[in-house]
Amino acid sequence: DVKVTQSSRYLVKRTGEKVFLECVQDMDHENMFWYRQDPGLGLRLIYFSYDVKMKEKGDIPEGYSVSREKKERFSLILESASTNQTSMYLCASSLGGQLKREYFGPGTRLLVL
Amino acid sequence: DQQVKQNSPSLSVQEGRISILNCDYTNSMFDYFLWYKKYPAEGPTFLISISSIKDKNEDGRFTVFLNKSAKHLSLHIVPSQPGDSAVYFCAARFGNEKLTFGTGTRLTIIP
């Protein structure tokens, strides 16, 4: 079974802090994604990566950056956390190909005070 | 611009009856559609998918119907069980592009 793990289930940070969210997948997937989920807005894509060292902006990249130094690991960075970044953050991975499906991690609920 | 829409934020269904969740899309280029199920404090899990070359796909209690002319997708769950209570997201993709998700429908199964 594919396993996608996220470094924290819950995080509380202060406004202005730098925040790192880590994601690791164990199935040698090429693609990795970061989403945030907010009530009434569904899942919105922040950044994604199709290969090591590669990154692409999703629909809402402002205020975020990412790093993919190894194939299995994809990090989301909030350079200076703000209260509007309080959300559930979900990491996902997938194989390449048209009929691929994303496998999600358990999520990190981030509260920015 | 919401390309994938789930117009019902919530749905309540009696246990044992059929649950029908609906999804509309605007991009006629989408050629692969998926449904995910999400429990609170967990990540979404894949439920069922359908390619645009089909109009129906079944997997046990779950059936997805695709009406390309109406740009409409529906998920049928029969019979509904208490463990089906969750938020359901539909998602769509064109080719090898990223997934576009709907806003979700919260399904509550009433015992």
Side-chain angles (χ1 to χ4, degrees):
Chain A
D1 256 2
V2 175
K3 190 143 186 176
V4 181
T5 56
Q6 295 184 227
S7 51
S8 305
R9 295 300 302 271
Y10 301 95
L11 271 180
V12 181
K13 296 291 181 181
R14 298 234 173 249
T15 301
E17 277 193 78
K18 192 167 186 175
V19 182
F20 292 87
L21 302 182
E22 300 272 313
C23 175
V24 178
Q25 50 94 4
D26 66 357
M27 284 301 291
D28 203 34
H29 284 173
E30 291 90 352
N31 308 323
M32 296 190 75
F33 307 84
W34 275 105
Y35 294 86
R36 61 179 281 179
Q37 183 201 355
D38 300 287
L41 297 176
L43 275 70
R44 294 181 294 166
L45 183 64
I46 305 170
Y47 266 97
F48 60 105
S49 169
Y50 287 146
D51 202 350
V52 177
K53 305 278 189 185
M54 292 182 65
K55 59 184 178 185
E56 300 276 348
K57 291 181 180 179
D59 301 315
I60 50 163
E62 296 78 20
Y64 303 95
S65 63
V66 290
S67 172
R68 193 162 181 206
E69 296 295 318
K70 293 185 177 180
K71 190 174 186 179
E72 67 271 18
R73 190 179 297 268
F74 193 34
S75 302
L76 180 70
I77 303 149
L78 287 66
E79 295 290 342
S80 177
S82 62
T83 54
N84 64 12
Q85 292 178 311
T86 291
S87 187
M88 167 73 92
Y89 289 89
L90 293 160
C91 175
S93 72
S94 72
L95 287 167
Q98 182 186 12
L99 301 185
K100 60 183 182 281
R101 59 182 176 93
E102 277 75 4
Y103 294 82
F104 283 86
T108 296
R109 185 162 291 285
L110 173 66
L111 173 62
V112 182
L113 300 173
Chain B
D1 176 27
Q2 192 75 25
Q3 294 190 69
V4 179
K5 301 178 187 179
Q6 294 177 257
N7 292 317
S8 299
S10 63
L11 176 68
S12 294
V13 174
Q14 209 75 39
E15 182 179 357
R17 306 292 288 266
I18 184 171
S19 295
I20 300 175
L21 295 97
N22 294 304
C23 180
D24 296 298
Y25 61 95
T26 57
N27 187 343
S28 57
M29 300 294 287
F30 286 145
D31 56 8
Y32 191 58
F33 304 87
L34 305 89
W35 283 95
Y36 281 82
K37 173 180 177 179
K38 186 182 184 300
Y39 293 119
E42 293 184 16
T45 54
F46 170 77
L47 200 54
I48 193 168
S49 62
I50 187 167
S51 166
S52 60
I53 62 172
K54 295 186 174 183
D55 53 19
K56 177 182 173 182
N57 188 28
E58 280 183 81
D59 184 2
R61 295 187 298 114
F62 303 92
T63 303
V64 57
F65 294 92
L66 176 62
N67 182 334
K68 288 186 289 292
S69 60
K71 296 193 182 70
H72 181 79
L73 189 69
S74 63
L75 174 68
H76 293 210
I77 307 172
V78 56
S80 299
Q81 299 174 354
D84 296 330
S85 294
V87 177
Y88 290 78
F89 292 98
C90 68
R93 166 186 295 126
F94 162 58
N96 204 32
E97 296 292 307
K98 58 183 176 64
L99 273 181
T100 299
F101 282 86
T103 52
T105 297
R106 181 177 302 279
L107 175 65
T108 303
I109 305 303
I110 305 162

